[in-house]
Amino acid sequence: MAIVASIKRITHLVGYSFRETAVALDAFGLRMAGNNVADFNFCRQRNMMPLYDKKPEAAASVFVDSSADVIGDVTLAQGASVWPGVVIRGDAAAVSIGENSNVQDDTVINSWGSKNESPVTVGNNVTIGHGAIIGGGCSIADEAFIGMNSVIGSDVVIEKHAMTAAGAVIPDGATVPSLSLIHI
């Protein structure tokens, strides 16, 4: 039994060494190509990934969970946070997340679907609840609140201090007025 345990331990250490070497070589290759995405302390697993020439950018105080994916033309401002399982895709258009805004677990923000190919903009101090889906071209103003599992269609405008209740569905092109609560 001791021999089997020793072999398992050695196999684990060799595998670990290969993985760590691969991560280091990957980071070195990215730096040689002029891409500093691997330099972020919070993204050891490369959860911030360029897509062709589109590279995500993040302020120094941003938190991105290791299981989140931030891909392409995405900008995260000071104090923004991206939690487990989130996917933010800046592939068809840009996505910007404002200061101190938080994107909670399992939310998907994509840039597809906008009739005008407009970017997705999330203002400052916005909370996007767990499991929300944000369509392309959406504009979410400062201090808005998106409830859990809300579905926000493409080209939706959510004005300052507006709220969507949990599970709300906002159709394409709609406007959620300031200081209102939508619970459809």
Side-chain angles (χ1 to χ4, degrees):
M1 285 305 236
I3 293 174
V4 172
S6 295
I7 290 173
K8 284 183 179 180
R9 177 76 178 144
I10 290 170
T11 303
H12 170 75
L13 289 174
V14 168
Y16 178 79
S17 298
F18 281 139
R19 285 189 299 277
E20 290 300 308
T21 301
V23 168
L25 286 172
D26 187 39
F28 177 73
L30 286 168
R31 282 189 205 97
M32 293 301 293
N35 184 335
N36 68 348
V37 169
D39 291 338
F40 289 108
N41 291 332
F42 58 81
C43 101
R44 183 180 175 285
Q45 300 302 321
R46 280 197 57 209
N47 54 343
M48 291 191 56
M49 297 176 275
L51 181 65
Y52 305 113
D53 61 335
K54 301 172 182 176
K55 299 177 185 175
E57 296 177 14
S61 63
V62 166
F63 169 77
V64 177
D65 185 79
S66 63
S67 68
D69 293 310
V70 179
I71 305 163
D73 190 2
V74 177
T75 303
L76 302 171
Q78 286 290 115
S81 57
V82 178
W83 294 92
V86 169
V87 176
I88 302 175
R89 290 186 7 220
D91 45 4
V95 176
S96 64
I97 308 294
E99 292 182 7
N100 304 314
S101 291
N102 73 88
V103 183
Q104 296 176 3
D105 309 39
D106 298 324
T107 292
V108 175
I109 299 175
N110 72 70
S111 56
W112 286 96
S114 173
K115 292 179 182 170
N116 312 342
E117 297 180 15
S118 300
V120 175
T121 56
V122 176
N124 299 330
N125 303 306
V126 171
T127 295
I128 299 176
H130 299 71
I133 299 173
I134 312 293
C138 286
S139 176
I140 302 173
D142 295 347
E143 300 171 9
F145 177 86
I146 308 301
M148 296 186 325
N149 297 314
S150 290
V151 178
I152 311 299
S154 298
D155 297 315
V156 169
V157 175
I158 298 180
E159 296 179 349
K160 188 172 183 172
H161 296 138
M163 297 177 70
T164 66
V169 177
I170 310 300
D172 292 356
T175 297
V176 178
S178 183
L179 300 172
S180 65
L181 169 63
I182 303 297
H183 55 85
I184 299 171

